[in-house]
Structure formats: C-alpha cells, structure tokens
Amino acid sequence: MTNIRSPKYSAEDMGRSRECEAVCNVAVTDVVRRAVAAGWREEEIALHLADAADNYVMYLATKPKRRLVAANSN
C-alpha cells in the first residue's frame, strides 16, 4: 500500500495543488494495480473510482461550511 507523505507547501501555496495531484496519482495507480492483480478489470475499477470521487465531492458540498485548516498546519 502506498504511503502518503505530508505536504511540503503551505495551504496557500500554489505548489500544494500540484503536489497533491502527484500524491493522488500515485495512490490511485497503486489501488488500480492491486485491484487488477486481485482479478478486477481496469476499466471497472477506473469507473468506480471516478464515481467514488464524485460522491465524495458531493458529500463535501453538502456538509455545513467550516473553516478548512491543514491537518499538519503547513
């Protein structure tokens, strides 16, 4: 399983978004590879990962507004 490293950039730094994208790409690739090795088709995994991401975005959109603070105070 992929270890996810802490961000190097502050929450306001534009580099943080690029770094997060790279971390997510590595994590998703790891999930897809492990699922394929377990017998799932790559296409079905990709589709359901996209659905799960969409569902999570909708969940976040419906939560009461709160001030977002980085967990590690970066």
Side-chain angles (χ1 to χ4, degrees), residues 37-66:
W40 296 98
R41 290 178 299 147
E42 189 174 24
E43 297 81 4
E44 65 190 334
I45 294 301
L47 176 65
H48 292 291
L49 282 173
D51 286 345
D54 191 45
N55 290 341
Y56 198 77
V57 168
M58 294 303 295
Y59 161 75
L60 290 175
T62 60
K63 287 183 73 168
K65 299 295 180 209
R66 65 196 193 295

Side-chain angles (χ1 to χ4, degrees), residues 5-6 10-11 14 16 20-21 26-27 35 48 50 61 64 66 72:
R5 66 182 185 273
S6 297
S10 70
M14 291 301 294
R16 187 179 178 104
C20 185
E21 180 181 10
V26 170
H48 292 291
R66 65 196 193 295
N72 64 356

Side-chain angles (χ1 to χ4, degrees), residues 8-45:
K8 297 176 186 173
Y9 299 95
S10 70
E12 295 80 25
D13 192 308
M14 291 301 294
R16 187 179 178 104
S17 180
R18 290 186 301 276
E19 182 183 22
C20 185
E21 180 181 10
V23 166
C24 289
N25 285 339
V26 170
V28 168
T29 299
D30 182 53
V31 168
V32 171
R33 286 182 180 158
R34 290 187 299 120
V36 168
W40 296 98
R41 290 178 299 147
E42 189 174 24
E43 297 81 4
E44 65 190 334
I45 294 301

